[in-house]
Amino acid sequence: MKLLAIDTVTEACSAALWLDGEVRDRFELAPRRHTTLVLPMVQQLLAEAGISLSQLDALAVDRGPGSFTGVRIGTSVVQGLGFAVDLPVVPVSSLATLAQTVWQNLQHENVLALIDARMQEVYWAHYVLQGQEMVLAGEEQVSAVAQITLDNQSSLCCVGSGSRQYSEQLQSLASCEVLADSRYDYPHAAVLAGLAVKAYERKEVVSAHQLEPVYLRNQVVQAKSP
């Protein structure tokens, strides 16, 4: 399985190449530089591996939620690459990627993933471990931290830029641990690639034409529409 993954939905920009279980990646925390960074990252990874885009089995992208501009950049780039060589696309959630990162590195099995959504709100979702994969419990949502409601709050690990931004408010949730390590604030394409491979095996793929970004905040989409 050969797959290229791209993530641009937060202040971080990353790309990863999955080659039969081996992962090579690029990651940079670079707000407002995603458009200049992401394609060179892709080109470097492919050149180092000695393969072309057409030799891949699929592409993967962080389809959101996250920054409106960042989500658009990632989906647009992957659509362009997919159209160019007729590759299927695996859309992966930014929040699922955050939760999976915490499981893989710290073995937390009950995770609240949050991304700062501005306007005093966060994009958030609750994940629990099933097998070796963090699985969504409920729905992805956008709301103020005070409006977050969970059925299971035991030993809850809070991760992502939203958890750091609103750490004091999150302490009101029972047994909530906000990670001190800022390395877990943003999704990484290397982790996204692993999730995408599993999703590909489950046939959770779309064509480049069918790829849709996920914003959650509908009024933002409406405001940006022509």
Side-chain angles (χ1 to χ4, degrees):
M1 176 70 183
K2 297 177 177 60
L3 177 143
L4 173 71
I6 287 173
D7 189 304
T8 61
V9 308
T10 64
E11 292 89 339
C13 179
S14 60
L17 191 60
W18 175 287
L19 300 172
D20 300 320
E22 176 191 352
V23 182
R24 308 180 184 198
D25 69 297
R26 294 286 187 278
F27 177 93
E28 188 168 340
L29 189 59
R32 297 178 295 279
R33 293 184 54 215
H34 297 60
T35 53
T36 60
L37 288 173
V38 64
L39 284 176
M41 286 180 173
V42 169
Q43 293 164 353
Q44 291 166 13
L45 289 169
L46 292 173
E48 289 175 6
I51 64 172
S52 65
L53 197 64
S54 61
Q55 290 176 284
L56 300 176
D57 297 300
L59 302 170
V61 66
D62 187 334
R63 47 73 163 166
S67 154
F68 177 86
T69 301
V71 173
R72 290 300 302 170
I73 290 171
T75 53
S76 297
V77 167
V78 166
Q79 280 181 321
L81 296 175
F83 282 133
V85 290
D86 193 25
L87 285 175
V89 179
V90 185
V92 178
S93 165
S94 55
L95 300 171
T97 303
L98 285 170
Q100 187 72 15
T101 301
V102 174
W103 155 245
Q104 289 181 189
N105 290 277
L106 302 173
Q107 287 71 59
H108 286 288
E109 301 180 10
N110 192 32
V111 174
L112 180 63
L114 310 99
I115 293 176
D116 185 12
R118 312 300 181 188
M119 298 169 61
Q120 301 300 308
E121 292 183 328
V122 291
Y123 303 114
W124 64 272
H126 181 205
Y127 291 84
V128 295
L129 184 68
Q130 290 186 14
Q132 297 296 309
E133 187 172 352
M134 297 298 286
V135 176
L136 181 64
E139 299 179 348
E140 296 179 330
Q141 299 187 49
V142 57
S143 73
V145 171
Q147 296 175 319
I148 294 175
T149 56
L150 303 172
D151 293 332
N152 176 14
Q153 297 181 12
S154 61
S155 302
L156 187 66
C157 174
C158 299
V159 63
S161 61
S163 68
R164 190 171 305 281
Q165 179 76 11
Y166 300 99
S167 59
E168 292 186 7
Q169 294 183 47
L170 287 167
Q171 298 305 321
S172 63
L173 297 175
S175 304
C176 177
E177 175 193 356
V178 177
L179 293 181
D181 195 333
S182 61
R183 289 180 300 173
Y184 302 108
D185 282 1
Y186 307 104
H188 286 243
V191 177
L192 187 149
L195 287 175
V197 169
K198 295 177 182 178
Y200 180 88
E201 293 170 350
R202 296 192 296 264
K203 303 187 184 305
E204 297 172 4
V205 302
V206 297
S207 67
H209 178 73
Q210 294 170 320
L211 179 62
E212 293 284 347
V214 172
Y215 300 110
L216 294 186
R217 185 181 280 149
N218 292 329
Q219 60 265 38
V220 174
V221 181
Q222 293 167 358
K224 294 289 184 177
S225 298

